[in-house]
Amino acid sequence: MSTSNPLKTDMAWSAPVRHPPHLMDYPIRSAEKLRFADTDCNGHISNAVFAVCCQNARMELLHDPRRVPLPIDAQFVIVRFEIDFLGEMHWPGTVVIGTRCEHIGRTSLTVAQVLFADGSCAASARSTVALMDRATRRATPLPPETTSALESFRAAQNGILQTCWQGRQE
């Protein structure tokens, strides 16, 4: 009969290795000016402003009919939002938000985002967004043309990224 601990093993447990985010991995870019009014009592940009920056960049993608066509009787709504705070942002300054579609499902999609200030990643975020029928207020399937448009924002294609930041190709 063994008296050793059955839960103890020689195998070391560790968290998955995460590589730092790179802005180049996000095909859509937008910029936000950081305002003095955005600072908190600690002198850095408030956590709530991080979420607002993500929302503004997400809306630039999802509510531009030239990018993502939608049926007239439908709209995108956010159903989940997660953010990892990786560093501080300070005023004065600008934050660049990188956005990409990470997963596209039948009625919803996952949007991944990063916030870069002063050359370093200050946060990464993930949103689940569903397409909602305006009349029934229920999730509705993504039309094929919407899905096709969203697919183009998943990652770099042929080394050329689609970008809205300053309206230029990189």
Side-chain angles (χ1 to χ4, degrees), residues 58 76-81 108-109 127-132 139:
R58 198 172 52 248
F76 282 113
V77 293
I78 189 163
V79 296
R80 183 175 174 90
F81 180 68
S108 65
L109 64 137
S127 306
T128 302
V129 182
L131 186 62
M132 180 184 76

Side-chain angles (χ1 to χ4, degrees), residues 8-124:
K8 185 177 178 184
T9 66
D10 291 335
M11 188 165 50
W13 293 93
S14 63
V17 176
R18 289 189 179 201
H19 300 286
H22 297 284
L23 192 55
M24 293 302 295
D25 294 333
Y26 295 79
I28 302 169
R29 315 249 174 61
S30 55
E32 294 279 335
K33 181 179 179 179
L34 300 173
R35 307 169 310 155
F36 176 76
D38 296 333
T39 60
D40 62 15
C41 63
N42 296 316
H44 54 69
I45 300 300
S46 166
N47 292 349
V49 174
F50 285 64
V52 169
C53 291
C54 289
Q55 179 184 35
N56 288 344
R58 198 172 52 248
M59 292 299 133
E60 285 185 24
L61 169 64
L62 299 178
H63 288 276
D64 182 347
R66 295 168 300 178
R67 288 185 171 187
V68 180
L70 288 179
I72 192 107
D73 57 347
Q75 68 186 48
F76 282 113
V77 293
I78 189 163
V79 296
R80 183 175 174 90
F81 180 68
E82 304 169 60
I83 188 164
D84 292 322
F85 297 98
L86 306 172
E88 296 179 345
M89 296 192 296
H90 295 92
W91 173 85
T94 302
V95 59
V96 177
I97 305 99
T99 302
R100 71 176 177 213
C101 292
E102 197 168 72
H103 172 77
I104 302 167
R106 189 179 72 82
T107 62
S108 65
L109 64 137
T110 303
V111 177
Q113 295 178 291
V114 290
L115 282 70
F116 275 80
D118 296 324
S120 64
C121 187
S124 65

